[in-house]
């Protein structure tokens, strides 16, 4: 799958069964993030996220959110089931039209997920074993236009 974008169609329920999330569309990016906020939000060394366009996401059920100001100055809003706290997705003010989906929400239905890079590797903990993929201290550099 390297070099191509996955198109996914799946749905799942949160841990308490009150909130469902469905995805139907192209995955724009697949990544691991080791920033300190992701470590706190996941309770481990990194988050696994798939970026999709907001139109690819459908939610049903009670959802709450919590916003933080990231070290970059961007606002990151994390959305979760208000009943059980299961992480659903995040929205960054850097890209408000996209959603960073918590890949683990889909349990065993994640064979499509192939992280391509690690963001905020400057915060990576040595005990958190990651695959041998490109690592960026913060965000990847964008090519000059």
């Amino acid at each position: 799958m390297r070099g191509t974008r996955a198109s996914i169609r799946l749905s799942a329920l949160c841990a308490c069964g009150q909130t469902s999330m469905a995805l139907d569309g192209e995955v724009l990016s697949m990544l691991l993030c080791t920033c300190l906020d992701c470590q706190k939000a996941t309770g481990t060394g990194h988050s696994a996220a798939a970026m999709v366009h907001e139109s690819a996401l459908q939610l049903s059920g009670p959802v709450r959110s919590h916003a933080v100001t990231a070290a970059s100055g961007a606002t990151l809003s994390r959305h979760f089931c208000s009943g059980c706290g299961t992480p659903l997705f995040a929205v960054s003010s850097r890209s408000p039209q996209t959603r960073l989906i918590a890949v683990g929400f889909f349990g065993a239905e994640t064979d499509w997920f192939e992280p391509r890079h690690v963001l905020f590797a400057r915060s990576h903990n040595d005990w958190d074993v990651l695959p041998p993929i490109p690592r960026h201290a913060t965000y990847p550099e964008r090519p000059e236009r």
Side-chain angles (χ1 to χ4, degrees), residues 68-123:
V68 297
T69 301
S72 67
T75 300
L76 185 73
S77 299
R78 293 187 182 277
H79 299 256
F80 50 91
C81 170
S82 62
C84 64
T86 297
L88 302 168
F89 66 94
V91 181
S92 172
S93 62
R94 289 174 49 101
S95 184
Q97 72 285 2
T98 61
R99 303 294 181 258
L100 290 164
I101 304 303
V103 175
F105 181 84
F106 296 102
E109 299 296 319
T110 57
D111 59 341
W112 53 271
F113 183 69
E114 257 186 74
R116 304 276 165 72
H117 47 118
V118 177
L119 301 184
F120 291 92
R122 67 183 183 196
S123 304

Side-chain angles (χ1 to χ4, degrees), residues 1-2 4-11 23 27 30 48 50 103-116:
M1 184 186 305
R2 292 256 181 239
T4 63
R5 289 187 171 171
S7 186
I8 56 174
R9 177 182 238 164
L10 29 110
S11 62
L23 291 178
V27 177
M30 298 182 224
V103 175
F105 181 84
F106 296 102
E109 299 296 319
T110 57
D111 59 341
W112 53 271
F113 183 69
E114 257 186 74
R116 304 276 165 72

Side-chain angles (χ1 to χ4, degrees), residues 15-90:
C16 71
Q18 292 184 66
T19 301
S20 68
M21 183 166 63
L23 291 178
D24 187 2
E26 184 178 55
V27 177
L28 305 173
S29 183
M30 298 182 224
L31 58 103
L32 303 176
C33 183
T34 62
C35 77
L36 297 176
D37 185 58
C38 282
Q39 290 180 37
K40 286 181 182 181
T42 63
T44 190
H46 68 273
S47 64
M51 182 184 290
V52 299
H53 192 274
E54 65 184 333
S55 63
L57 174 67
Q58 291 186 338
L59 292 171
S60 176
V63 176
R64 293 196 59 193
S65 66
H66 173 74
V68 297
T69 301
S72 67
T75 300
L76 185 73
S77 299
R78 293 187 182 277
H79 299 256
F80 50 91
C81 170
S82 62
C84 64
T86 297
L88 302 168
F89 66 94

